[in-house]
Amino acid sequence: MDVGLSYKQKRPDGAFDAIVIGSGMGGLTAAAALAKQWKKRVLVLERHYTAGGFTHAFTRPGYEWDVGVHYIGQVGPGGALRAPYDWLTDGALDWAKLPDVYDRVYLGDRAYDYVSGTKRFIQQMKSYFPGEEAAIEKYVALVKSAARSGTTFAVDRTLPKLASRLLGPLLRAPQMRYASRTTREVLMELTRNEELIAVLTAQFGDYGLPPSKSSFAIHAMVAAHYLGGGYFPVGGASAIARSVAPVIERAGGQIFINADVKEIIIEDGRAVGVRMADERELRAKIIISDAGAVNTYERLLPRSHEDKGVERALARVGSSVSYVCLYLGMKHTDSELGLTGTNMWIYPDHDHDGNFARLMSEPSADAYLDGKTQLPLVYISFPSAKDPTWKDRHPGRATVDVIAPARYEWFAAWEKTRWKKRGADYDALKAKLTERILDVTFAKLPQLRGKIDFAELSTPLTTKHFAGYEKGELYGLDHSPERYRMKMRAETEIPGLYLTGQDLVSCGVSGAMFGGLLTATAIAGPRALIAAMRR
Ligand SMILES: Cc1cc2nc3c(=O)[nH]c(=O)nc-3n(C[C@H](O)[C@H](O)[C@H](O)COP(=O)(O)OP(=O)(O)OC[C@H]3O[C@@H](n4cnc5c(N)ncnc54)[C@H](O)[C@@H]3O)c2cc1C
């Protein structure tokens, strides 16, 4: 079942209480919460040809890949996030557990497993690093307490300006103790063992900044999120949007795809609607942007309402790293190929910061094309092995996603060209990058050699084309200490205009989902949030 109506074929019917720009997890959640708790009629407008934002999946003959969902934590039985997902989808979304070893980390040739369950994780790490027992215990305790401290920080995001000015410092303080420091600073107080630090921060690809640049708050949130193991939506990533959409539609809401919003309409200082790319105006009292903070402030607001203060703050935070993803398809089953749901994090060595800094200073991809310098991180995920319905939906086939950070600048020369028609030189660069990424993949999965039936590389230009992120960034705003100092709230300075999604709290499907719940709370009060979190 496809989600949404096409704006190319149909127009929204009647009046809406709210318009949501973007159908990512944040936008769908805000829309569903308003629909479910307050019976609001919400119109969701999505520029892509499919709904779900980074939770969408795409197909090629015989194959299907997810884009931005490889695992989600805390959604197993009794997990802290199971309740809100059940609430949002009326229980329509099921989850399949990844294997007990949900992440396998390689530092060069040395492999380390992340095992589900806090106690087992601690035991496993202690077995790798004798003599570091106290540091490991202390690390896990710190991660848990920093993650817990995010609750009141999030509440501040829902407050109106005045209340936030009065209460904000108090609400933000517990998390700021952790958020204002880098992950490396915090870990260096626990141990000087660089290999251990590298292993404990090996999920940094989940938030896009290496240890000396990332805020410890995001590190702790992600690490705590997965301690109980990883889960995958049954039916694939697109099952998420498929199960939230009916909740929006039952309250009279509509979701439109191919619906590109050009501008937010402001009248008498208030957001009153949106202007579409075809110049049609659609109006509602509440406008919610899930298009990302940078897009909202720098591209969707009319220049007459630009807010230089916010734009400067966003520039100080900066956008997260861009990436390439190699989508592979094989005419074999996962069991024939020996593939499981365990994610692989492949690093050349333990120097995450040095390797990442080098990438960020390379003006072109050339340094990585001869195969002598390794990419700072290659992440491999196995969607077909994770989804129990895959075997029936795509018998005899398997898929693999291989992601590597990359700079937008490497591809900027082609930014004015059209998708699929960017020219032979662009295709040649993609072919060389594909070869390099395959080298890394085959080194760990030699059984795939000679079995690849389909391979397609997405670049930051692909992400820009489909999701609208200007530099094809992975996770919206960067998760640096500076981001946590920026006082962003769901309610903007413009009455009637709200922000939602990953830029409000944190990246991740659940971070964006939580952003959606906070936005609904800022608009209509805490009832939805309370109902969603109640078991
Ligand atoms: C490669 C990759 C892997 C990831 N892996 C994981 C993972 O394993 N687990 C996890 O929890 N998270 C993962 N994430 C992160 C997670 O997917 C995102 O943080 C989250 O889905 C973001 O949701 P969002 O609602 O904020 O925004 P998005 O999903 O980005 O949605 C925003 C939507 O707004 C639309 N839009 C933008 N501008 C306009 C406009 N002008 N008009 C109309 N529509 C517009 C876009 O097309 C897009 O659909 C991954 C992300 C990526 C990129």
Side-chain angles (χ1 to χ4, degrees):
M1 182 194 74
D2 287 337
V3 171
L5 306 158
S6 175
Y7 188 74
K8 284 184 183 160
Q9 284 150 14
K10 205 178 166 334
R11 295 289 175 260
D13 311 319
F16 291 89
D17 299 304
I19 292 176
V20 178
I21 306 168
S23 69
M25 194 63 208
L28 289 178
T29 302
L34 291 172
K36 199 174 156 103
Q37 192 70 40
W38 294 281
K39 308 287 172 258
K40 300 272 187 213
R41 203 167 173 239
V42 187
L43 173 63
V44 180
L45 300 169
E46 168 56 54
R47 70 198 289 279
H48 199 346
Y49 64 70
T50 180
F54 277 130
T55 68
H56 83 273
F58 72 97
T59 58
R60 296 285 181 264
Y63 296 106
E64 173 192 311
W65 296 266
D66 57 78
V67 174
V69 183
H70 303 291
Y71 61 150
I72 294 179
Q74 298 172 294
V75 289
L81 295 177
R82 182 59 182 258
Y85 279 106
D86 282 351
W87 184 80
L88 273 178
T89 61
D90 284 340
L93 185 60
D94 286 329
W95 299 93
K97 196 168 190 309
L98 264 57
D100 252 5
V101 175
Y102 52 96
D103 278 330
R104 177 160 296 147
V105 175
Y106 294 92
L107 304 181
D109 291 335
R110 302 174 300 285
Y112 300 92
D113 285 348
Y114 273 45
V115 186
S116 35
T118 305
K119 278 192 186 145
R120 293 168 71 209
F121 174 84
I122 292 174
Q123 276 320 111
Q124 189 78 11
M125 289 300 143
K126 285 181 180 173
S127 75
Y128 296 133
F129 296 98
E132 295 287 349
E133 290 80 358
I136 291 164
E137 292 274 0
K138 206 159 172 210
Y139 163 78
V140 172
L142 258 184
V143 155
K144 288 196 161 191
S145 111
R148 269 196 305 271
S149 74
T151 313
T152 55
F153 189 88
V155 170
D156 177 52
R157 299 300 207 220
T158 67
L159 298 181
K161 191 177 173 186
L162 187 63
S164 172
R165 202 172 277 166
L166 293 173
L167 297 172
L170 214 63
L171 293 170
R172 292 192 298 272
Q175 172 128 92
M176 285 314 290
R177 273 181 33 226
Y178 303 102
S180 58
R181 309 184 67 207
T182 67
T183 307
R184 183 163 174 85
E185 277 166 357
V186 174
L187 268 88
M188 287 292 280
E189 284 177 2
L190 304 178
T191 177
R192 296 282 148 158
N193 185 323
E194 293 290 353
E195 183 91 352
L196 173 58
I197 292 177
V199 172
L200 295 178
T201 57
Q203 292 167 323
F204 87 80
D206 282 332
Y207 48 85
L209 274 181
S212 72
K213 300 272 183 231
S214 57
S215 161
F216 184 66
I218 186 66
H219 173 80
M221 197 174 287
V222 168
H225 181 62
Y226 292 119
L227 274 176
Y231 292 80
F232 194 71
V234 173
S238 58
I240 298 179
R242 276 202 305 279
S243 52
V244 182
V247 174
I248 299 167
E249 288 160 354
R250 272 199 289 276
Q254 291 187 316
I255 300 169
F256 276 85
I257 54 170
N258 301 311
D260 193 3
V261 173
K262 180 177 155 196
E263 194 172 68
I264 296 166
I265 304 172
I266 312 284
E267 282 174 5
D268 300 326
R270 220 196 131 77
V272 294
V274 296
R275 184 166 296 107
M276 305 298 290
D278 65 2
E279 299 296 334
R280 177 180 289 260
E281 291 186 1
L282 300 168
R283 292 188 171 241
K285 279 194 181 137
I286 293 165
I287 309 298
I288 301 169
S289 177
D290 179 43
V294 173
N295 274 335
T296 307
Y297 281 99
E298 293 178 16
R299 279 174 273 284
L300 290 173
L301 277 179
R303 284 299 82 192
S304 51
H305 282 79
E306 68 186 348
D307 185 331
K308 285 284 174 207
V310 176
E311 287 182 16
R312 271 196 300 275
L314 291 172
R316 271 198 307 276
V317 175
S319 293
S320 52
V321 68
S322 312
Y323 72 101
V324 293
C325 183
L326 182 60
Y327 299 95
L328 299 175
M330 279 77 54
K331 283 184 175 160
H332 295 269
T333 63
D334 293 301
S335 31
E336 282 163 4
L337 296 168
L339 304 181
T340 72
T342 302
N343 302 310
M344 292 179 168
W345 296 92
I346 303 167
Y347 295 97
D349 51 45
H350 67 236
D351 188 11
H352 300 329
D353 282 298
N355 295 326
F356 194 81
R358 161 134 210 223
L359 175 104
M360 296 311 282
S361 66
E362 286 298 348
S364 78
D366 290 356
Y368 296 100
L369 297 183
D370 63 6
K372 288 187 194 128
T373 313
Q374 279 192 55
L375 286 156
L377 159 62
V378 172
Y379 169 83
I380 311 186
S381 172
F382 307 91
S384 55
K386 292 176 186 179
D387 173 19
T389 70
W390 176 273
K391 288 192 277 303
D392 300 326
R393 296 190 299 120
H394 303 285
R397 307 269 172 138
T399 51
V400 172
D401 298 354
V402 193
I403 299 174
R407 294 191 72 203
Y408 179 80
E409 287 69 13
W410 299 354
F411 306 91
W414 295 278
E415 66 187 356
K416 298 268 181 316
T417 58
R418 283 177 40 224
W419 181 57
K420 292 273 185 201
K421 295 191 168 50
R422 301 199 193 278
D425 42 0
Y426 175 79
D427 292 341
L429 173 59
K430 286 206 334 175
K432 280 190 199 149
L433 273 169
T434 298
E435 261 179 58
R436 291 290 75 81
I437 293 172
L438 281 176
D439 288 345
V440 180
T441 308
F442 292 150
K444 297 291 181 257
L445 298 162
Q447 68 273 34
L448 295 188
R449 210 181 273 281
K451 305 267 174 33
I452 309 293
D453 170 53
F454 181 93
E456 185 171 328
L457 188 82
S458 78
T459 75
L461 295 181
T462 323
T463 306
K464 177 176 174 162
H465 172 76
F466 286 114
Y469 289 99
E470 191 55 19
K471 297 273 166 78
E473 51 266 35
L474 251 169
Y475 298 127
L477 292 173
D478 245 345
H479 290 71
S480 57
E482 190 59 37
R483 171 184 174 140
Y484 287 82
R485 288 183 200 114
M486 186 182 171
K487 295 179 192 69
M488 189 183 285
R489 290 171 303 112
E491 187 189 74
T492 69
E493 300 291 320
I494 297 172
L497 176 63
Y498 295 82
L499 295 178
T500 198
Q502 62 185 350
D503 284 346
L504 196 56
V505 189
S506 79
C507 67
V509 176
S510 303
M513 183 265 283
F514 211 58
L517 288 174
L518 295 180
T519 305
T521 300
I523 294 168
R527 278 202 343 250
L529 187 61
I530 294 166
M533 298 308 289
R534 195 166 39 214
R535 303 258 165 96

